Amino acid sequence: MRRITRIATAGIASAALALSVTACGGDKKSDTAGDSKDGKAAIAYDIGGRGDQSFNDAAYAGLAKAEKEFGISGTEAEPSEGEGDPDKVQRLTSLARAGNNPVIGVGFAYAPAIAEVAPKFPDTTFGLIDDTSKTGKNIANLVFNEEQGSYLAGVAAAKVTKSNTVGFIGGVETPLIKKFEAGFVQGVKDTNKNVNVKVQYLTQPPDFGGFSKPDLGKAAAQGQIDAGADVIYAAAGLAGSGSIEAAAKAKKWAIGVDSDQYNQSGLAAYKEYILTSVTKDVSGAVYNLIKSVKDGKPQSGEVRYGLDANGVGLSTSNPAFTKMTEVIAAVDKAKADIASGKVKVQTAP
């Protein structure tokens, strides 16, 4: 598997950032992307890149699984800090020209770039995760019902809090992250209307640093803990690791996001306090798109992953969580109520 990293060079504009290529992924150390006769696929990471223990890492897991099972050659492309749409256009164009199919943009920030690049490569399938605003015959919009998983997290938080105060931290105040907030707050209030939910966003668009700076997440979580919160749920990408650290050091509960963060090696020191995680099957979405292309039936249009097909959910890796029988029962009931339509989860606060 190839990994392409964007490196800023002093005095050169971001659109002219240099590319350096490093080999990764075990024995696959080729300097070319064309080693595999079984095809090539690429993912372009969102802010924070691989190693965020969350969203991007879930996408990587899907690519790695496809590479192993299908014999494809995988390429990863990293973002640069503060980059704009021209950088993303350049990245996606390079990946498509190299023969990768599909080319997957990890995150809604890739929407404008994919809309520009996809028509130029009509025989290449482009995956756009977390966005439906840009469509096309060769664009697969891979989206999730984040609000449903977050509702379950709200139920769990309301059941375990002892202070009747819990916190939500959003990386950047965008419509997507507002879905996480809406579901979480509704789940809390439907379970116990007396629980106070503190809501904080780390940055506002166009500043997307709230997805990449753990120190911001740590400071926000500490502030909520100081104000009485004993459960912290962060939807903040890499910054969320900072909130988990703060919660663990204060011996409070943290709720992870996107990946099962209890099982992330980079968070192993804090896992005891990661109650559960709101999972999105980003890995499965990436894998399924690659498989569809390999099978000659590429996905296109909206491909939605919801609670009904385990596209979102609540992890049960922490033994301490599974021993909370009353909490688990409440979560299972909420899941059934959503599936039956009895509970309609809001997508905006």
Side-chain angles (χ1 to χ4, degrees), residues 74-118:
T75 297
E76 309 164 69
E78 293 280 359
S80 58
E81 187 173 353
E83 68 179 25
D85 288 337
D87 300 286
K88 294 181 175 64
V89 168
Q90 177 186 350
R91 182 176 306 126
L92 296 177
T93 299
S94 296
L95 293 172
R97 281 179 177 165
N100 292 289
N101 188 18
V103 173
I104 303 171
V106 184
F108 60 82
Y110 278 96
I114 284 180
E116 180 175 337
V117 176

Short mmCIF file of all heavy atoms in Angstrom, two decimals, residues 74-118:
data_model
loop_
_atom_site.label_atom_id
_atom_site.label_comp_id
_atom_site.label_asym_id
_atom_site.label_seq_id
_atom_site.Cartn_x
_atom_site.Cartn_y
_atom_site.Cartn_z
N GLY A 74 -3.53 -0.58 -2.80
CA GLY A 74 -4.18 0.56 -2.15
C GLY A 74 -3.24 1.75 -2.01
O GLY A 74 -2.05 1.60 -1.77
N THR A 75 -3.79 2.94 -2.18
CA THR A 75 -3.03 4.18 -1.99
C THR A 75 -3.78 5.08 -1.03
O THR A 75 -4.99 5.23 -1.12
CB THR A 75 -2.83 4.91 -3.33
OG1 THR A 75 -2.06 4.09 -4.20
CG2 THR A 75 -2.12 6.24 -3.13
N GLU A 76 -3.03 5.68 -0.11
CA GLU A 76 -3.60 6.62 0.85
C GLU A 76 -3.00 7.99 0.58
O GLU A 76 -1.79 8.10 0.35
CB GLU A 76 -3.26 6.23 2.28
CG GLU A 76 -3.56 4.82 2.67
CD GLU A 76 -2.81 4.46 3.95
OE1 GLU A 76 -3.18 5.01 5.01
OE2 GLU A 76 -1.85 3.67 3.87
N ALA A 77 -3.81 9.03 0.64
CA ALA A 77 -3.32 10.39 0.44
C ALA A 77 -3.70 11.25 1.64
O ALA A 77 -4.86 11.30 2.03
CB ALA A 77 -3.89 10.99 -0.84
N GLU A 78 -2.70 11.91 2.22
CA GLU A 78 -2.90 12.70 3.43
C GLU A 78 -3.20 14.16 3.10
O GLU A 78 -2.69 14.69 2.10
CB GLU A 78 -1.65 12.64 4.30
CG GLU A 78 -1.36 11.26 4.88
CD GLU A 78 -2.19 10.95 6.11
OE1 GLU A 78 -2.99 11.82 6.52
OE2 GLU A 78 -2.04 9.84 6.65
N PRO A 79 -3.97 14.84 3.94
CA PRO A 79 -4.23 16.27 3.74
C PRO A 79 -3.11 17.11 4.34
O PRO A 79 -2.27 16.61 5.09
CB PRO A 79 -5.53 16.48 4.52
CG PRO A 79 -5.41 15.52 5.67
CD PRO A 79 -4.69 14.30 5.12
N SER A 80 -3.10 18.37 4.00
CA SER A 80 -2.16 19.32 4.61
C SER A 80 -2.98 20.32 5.42
O SER A 80 -4.13 20.60 5.12
CB SER A 80 -1.33 20.03 3.55
OG SER A 80 -2.18 20.72 2.64
N GLU A 81 -2.36 20.85 6.45
CA GLU A 81 -3.07 21.78 7.34
C GLU A 81 -3.43 23.06 6.60
O GLU A 81 -2.60 23.65 5.91
CB GLU A 81 -2.20 22.10 8.56
CG GLU A 81 -2.92 22.93 9.61
CD GLU A 81 -2.12 23.11 10.88
OE1 GLU A 81 -1.05 22.47 11.00
OE2 GLU A 81 -2.56 23.88 11.75
N GLY A 82 -4.66 23.46 6.75
CA GLY A 82 -5.11 24.72 6.17
C GLY A 82 -5.29 24.70 4.66
O GLY A 82 -5.38 25.76 4.04
N GLU A 83 -5.38 23.52 4.07
CA GLU A 83 -5.49 23.44 2.62
C GLU A 83 -6.86 23.89 2.14
O GLU A 83 -7.84 23.90 2.89
CB GLU A 83 -5.23 22.01 2.15
CG GLU A 83 -6.30 21.01 2.56
CD GLU A 83 -6.01 19.61 2.04
OE1 GLU A 83 -4.85 19.30 1.81
OE2 GLU A 83 -6.97 18.84 1.90
N GLY A 84 -6.94 24.21 0.84
CA GLY A 84 -8.19 24.63 0.23
C GLY A 84 -8.65 23.64 -0.82
O GLY A 84 -8.01 22.61 -1.05
N ASP A 85 -9.76 23.98 -1.47
CA ASP A 85 -10.31 23.09 -2.49
C ASP A 85 -9.33 22.81 -3.63
O ASP A 85 -9.30 21.68 -4.14
CB ASP A 85 -11.61 23.68 -3.05
CG ASP A 85 -12.76 23.59 -2.05
OD1 ASP A 85 -12.70 22.72 -1.14
OD2 ASP A 85 -13.71 24.37 -2.17
N PRO A 86 -8.52 23.77 -4.08
CA PRO A 86 -7.57 23.47 -5.16
C PRO A 86 -6.60 22.34 -4.81
O PRO A 86 -6.24 21.54 -5.68
CB PRO A 86 -6.83 24.80 -5.36
CG PRO A 86 -7.81 25.83 -4.94
CD PRO A 86 -8.51 25.22 -3.76
N ASP A 87 -6.22 22.26 -3.53
CA ASP A 87 -5.34 21.17 -3.11
C ASP A 87 -6.04 19.82 -3.23
O ASP A 87 -5.44 18.83 -3.66
CB ASP A 87 -4.90 21.39 -1.66
CG ASP A 87 -4.14 22.68 -1.47
OD1 ASP A 87 -2.98 22.75 -1.89
OD2 ASP A 87 -4.73 23.63 -0.90
N LYS A 88 -7.31 19.81 -2.86
CA LYS A 88 -8.07 18.56 -2.94
C LYS A 88 -8.32 18.16 -4.39
O LYS A 88 -8.27 16.98 -4.73
CB LYS A 88 -9.40 18.72 -2.18
CG LYS A 88 -9.24 18.89 -0.67
CD LYS A 88 -10.60 19.00 0.01
CE LYS A 88 -10.45 19.04 1.53
NZ LYS A 88 -9.72 20.23 2.01
N VAL A 89 -8.57 19.15 -5.23
CA VAL A 89 -8.74 18.87 -6.66
C VAL A 89 -7.47 18.25 -7.22
O VAL A 89 -7.50 17.25 -7.95
CB VAL A 89 -9.09 20.16 -7.43
CG1 VAL A 89 -8.98 19.94 -8.94
CG2 VAL A 89 -10.50 20.62 -7.07
N GLN A 90 -6.33 18.83 -6.88
CA GLN A 90 -5.04 18.33 -7.35
C GLN A 90 -4.83 16.89 -6.86
O GLN A 90 -4.39 16.02 -7.62
CB GLN A 90 -3.91 19.21 -6.84
CG GLN A 90 -2.51 18.73 -7.22
CD GLN A 90 -1.43 19.57 -6.57
OE1 GLN A 90 -1.70 20.60 -5.99
NE2 GLN A 90 -0.21 19.09 -6.65
N ARG A 91 -5.15 16.63 -5.60
CA ARG A 91 -4.95 15.30 -5.02
C ARG A 91 -5.83 14.26 -5.71
O ARG A 91 -5.35 13.19 -6.10
CB ARG A 91 -5.27 15.36 -3.52
CG ARG A 91 -5.06 14.05 -2.76
CD ARG A 91 -5.31 14.23 -1.27
NE ARG A 91 -4.48 15.32 -0.78
CZ ARG A 91 -4.95 16.37 -0.12
NH1 ARG A 91 -6.25 16.48 0.13
NH2 ARG A 91 -4.14 17.31 0.30
N LEU A 92 -7.11 14.56 -5.85
CA LEU A 92 -8.03 13.61 -6.47
C LEU A 92 -7.68 13.37 -7.93
O LEU A 92 -7.78 12.25 -8.44
CB LEU A 92 -9.46 14.11 -6.34
CG LEU A 92 -10.02 14.25 -4.92
CD1 LEU A 92 -11.43 14.83 -4.97
CD2 LEU A 92 -10.03 12.91 -4.20
N THR A 93 -7.28 14.43 -8.61
CA THR A 93 -6.89 14.30 -10.02
C THR A 93 -5.70 13.37 -10.17
O THR A 93 -5.67 12.49 -11.04
CB THR A 93 -6.56 15.68 -10.62
OG1 THR A 93 -7.73 16.52 -10.56
CG2 THR A 93 -6.12 15.56 -12.07
N SER A 94 -4.70 13.55 -9.32
CA SER A 94 -3.51 12.70 -9.37
C SER A 94 -3.86 11.24 -9.10
O SER A 94 -3.35 10.34 -9.78
CB SER A 94 -2.48 13.18 -8.34
OG SER A 94 -2.02 14.48 -8.65
N LEU A 95 -4.74 11.02 -8.15
CA LEU A 95 -5.13 9.64 -7.81
C LEU A 95 -5.89 8.99 -8.97
O LEU A 95 -5.69 7.82 -9.28
CB LEU A 95 -5.98 9.63 -6.53
CG LEU A 95 -5.25 10.03 -5.24
CD1 LEU A 95 -6.23 10.16 -4.09
CD2 LEU A 95 -4.16 9.00 -4.89
N ALA A 96 -6.77 9.76 -9.60
CA ALA A 96 -7.54 9.22 -10.72
C ALA A 96 -6.64 8.96 -11.93
O ALA A 96 -6.76 7.92 -12.59
CB ALA A 96 -8.66 10.18 -11.10
N ARG A 97 -5.73 9.87 -12.21
CA ARG A 97 -4.82 9.70 -13.35
C ARG A 97 -3.92 8.48 -13.16
O ARG A 97 -3.49 7.86 -14.13
CB ARG A 97 -3.96 10.95 -13.51
CG ARG A 97 -4.68 12.10 -14.21
CD ARG A 97 -3.78 13.30 -14.32
NE ARG A 97 -4.45 14.39 -15.05
CZ ARG A 97 -4.03 15.64 -15.05
NH1 ARG A 97 -2.94 15.98 -14.35
NH2 ARG A 97 -4.68 16.56 -15.73
N ALA A 98 -3.65 8.13 -11.90
CA ALA A 98 -2.79 6.99 -11.61
C ALA A 98 -3.52 5.66 -11.81
O ALA A 98 -2.92 4.60 -11.66
CB ALA A 98 -2.26 7.08 -10.19
N GLY A 99 -4.80 5.73 -12.16
CA GLY A 99 -5.56 4.51 -12.44
C GLY A 99 -6.29 3.93 -11.27
O GLY A 99 -6.81 2.81 -11.35
N ASN A 100 -6.37 4.66 -10.17
CA ASN A 100 -7.12 4.16 -9.02
C ASN A 100 -8.62 4.21 -9.29
O ASN A 100 -9.12 5.19 -9.84
CB ASN A 100 -6.81 5.00 -7.77
CG ASN A 100 -5.40 4.82 -7.29
OD1 ASN A 100 -5.04 3.77 -6.76
ND2 ASN A 100 -4.57 5.84 -7.49
N ASN A 101 -9.31 3.15 -8.92
CA ASN A 101 -10.76 3.09 -9.11
C ASN A 101 -11.33 2.06 -8.12
O ASN A 101 -11.07 0.88 -8.26
CB ASN A 101 -11.09 2.65 -10.54
CG ASN A 101 -12.58 2.76 -10.86
OD1 ASN A 101 -13.32 3.44 -10.16
ND2 ASN A 101 -13.01 2.06 -11.91
N PRO A 102 -12.03 2.58 -7.10
CA PRO A 102 -12.51 3.95 -6.90
C PRO A 102 -11.47 4.86 -6.26
O PRO A 102 -10.46 4.41 -5.72
CB PRO A 102 -13.70 3.75 -5.97
CG PRO A 102 -13.30 2.59 -5.11
CD PRO A 102 -12.58 1.66 -6.06
N VAL A 103 -11.81 6.16 -6.29
CA VAL A 103 -11.10 7.17 -5.54
C VAL A 103 -12.09 7.72 -4.52
O VAL A 103 -13.17 8.18 -4.89
CB VAL A 103 -10.60 8.31 -6.46
CG1 VAL A 103 -10.00 9.44 -5.64
CG2 VAL A 103 -9.59 7.77 -7.47
N ILE A 104 -11.73 7.65 -3.26
CA ILE A 104 -12.69 7.97 -2.19
C ILE A 104 -12.23 9.17 -1.38
O ILE A 104 -11.13 9.17 -0.83
CB ILE A 104 -12.88 6.75 -1.26
CG1 ILE A 104 -13.34 5.54 -2.07
CG2 ILE A 104 -13.89 7.07 -0.16
CD1 ILE A 104 -13.36 4.23 -1.29
N GLY A 105 -13.07 10.18 -1.31
CA GLY A 105 -12.81 11.35 -0.48
C GLY A 105 -13.44 11.12 0.89
O GLY A 105 -14.66 10.95 1.00
N VAL A 106 -12.60 11.12 1.92
CA VAL A 106 -13.07 10.82 3.27
C VAL A 106 -13.52 12.11 3.95
O VAL A 106 -12.71 12.86 4.50
CB VAL A 106 -11.96 10.13 4.09
CG1 VAL A 106 -12.49 9.74 5.47
CG2 VAL A 106 -11.44 8.90 3.36
N GLY A 107 -14.81 12.40 3.87
CA GLY A 107 -15.34 13.58 4.54
C GLY A 107 -16.00 14.57 3.60
O GLY A 107 -15.67 14.66 2.41
N PHE A 108 -16.95 15.34 4.16
CA PHE A 108 -17.75 16.27 3.36
C PHE A 108 -16.92 17.37 2.74
O PHE A 108 -17.33 18.00 1.76
CB PHE A 108 -18.85 16.89 4.22
CG PHE A 108 -18.37 17.67 5.42
CD1 PHE A 108 -17.94 18.98 5.29
CD2 PHE A 108 -18.34 17.09 6.68
CE1 PHE A 108 -17.50 19.71 6.38
CE2 PHE A 108 -17.90 17.80 7.78
CZ PHE A 108 -17.48 19.12 7.63
N ALA A 109 -15.72 17.63 3.28
CA ALA A 109 -14.88 18.69 2.74
C ALA A 109 -14.46 18.40 1.29
O ALA A 109 -14.05 19.32 0.57
CB ALA A 109 -13.64 18.88 3.61
N TYR A 110 -14.55 17.14 0.87
CA TYR A 110 -14.17 16.78 -0.49
C TYR A 110 -15.28 17.00 -1.51
O TYR A 110 -15.06 16.80 -2.71
CB TYR A 110 -13.72 15.32 -0.54
CG TYR A 110 -12.29 15.12 -0.12
CD1 TYR A 110 -11.97 14.77 1.18
CD2 TYR A 110 -11.24 15.33 -1.01
CE1 TYR A 110 -10.65 14.61 1.60
CE2 TYR A 110 -9.92 15.17 -0.61
CZ TYR A 110 -9.63 14.81 0.70
OH TYR A 110 -8.32 14.67 1.09
N ALA A 111 -16.45 17.42 -1.08
CA ALA A 111 -17.59 17.56 -2.00
C ALA A 111 -17.29 18.48 -3.19
O ALA A 111 -17.49 18.08 -4.35
CB ALA A 111 -18.82 18.02 -1.24
N PRO A 112 -16.83 19.72 -2.98
CA PRO A 112 -16.57 20.58 -4.15
C PRO A 112 -15.52 20.01 -5.09
O PRO A 112 -15.65 20.11 -6.32
CB PRO A 112 -16.09 21.89 -3.50
CG PRO A 112 -16.66 21.87 -2.12
CD PRO A 112 -16.60 20.43 -1.71
N ALA A 113 -14.47 19.41 -4.53
CA ALA A 113 -13.40 18.86 -5.36
C ALA A 113 -13.89 17.68 -6.18
O ALA A 113 -13.56 17.56 -7.37
CB ALA A 113 -12.22 18.45 -4.49
N ILE A 114 -14.67 16.80 -5.57
CA ILE A 114 -15.20 15.65 -6.31
C ILE A 114 -16.14 16.11 -7.41
O ILE A 114 -16.15 15.57 -8.52
CB ILE A 114 -15.87 14.65 -5.35
CG1 ILE A 114 -14.79 13.87 -4.60
CG2 ILE A 114 -16.81 13.69 -6.09
CD1 ILE A 114 -15.30 12.84 -3.62
N ALA A 115 -16.95 17.12 -7.12
CA ALA A 115 -17.86 17.65 -8.14
C ALA A 115 -17.10 18.17 -9.34
O ALA A 115 -17.57 18.09 -10.49
CB ALA A 115 -18.73 18.75 -7.54
N GLU A 116 -15.90 18.70 -9.12
CA GLU A 116 -15.09 19.23 -10.21
C GLU A 116 -14.32 18.13 -10.95
O GLU A 116 -14.20 18.16 -12.18
CB GLU A 116 -14.09 20.26 -9.67
CG GLU A 116 -13.20 20.88 -10.73
CD GLU A 116 -12.32 21.99 -10.20
OE1 GLU A 116 -12.66 22.58 -9.15
OE2 GLU A 116 -11.28 22.27 -10.84
N VAL A 117 -13.81 17.16 -10.21
CA VAL A 117 -12.93 16.16 -10.81
C VAL A 117 -13.69 15.00 -11.44
O VAL A 117 -13.31 14.51 -12.52
CB VAL A 117 -11.95 15.62 -9.75
CG1 VAL A 117 -11.08 14.49 -10.32
CG2 VAL A 117 -11.06 16.73 -9.21
N ALA A 118 -14.77 14.55 -10.83
CA ALA A 118 -15.48 13.36 -11.30
C ALA A 118 -15.90 13.42 -12.78
O ALA A 118 -15.73 12.44 -13.51
CB ALA A 118 -16.70 13.07 -10.41
#
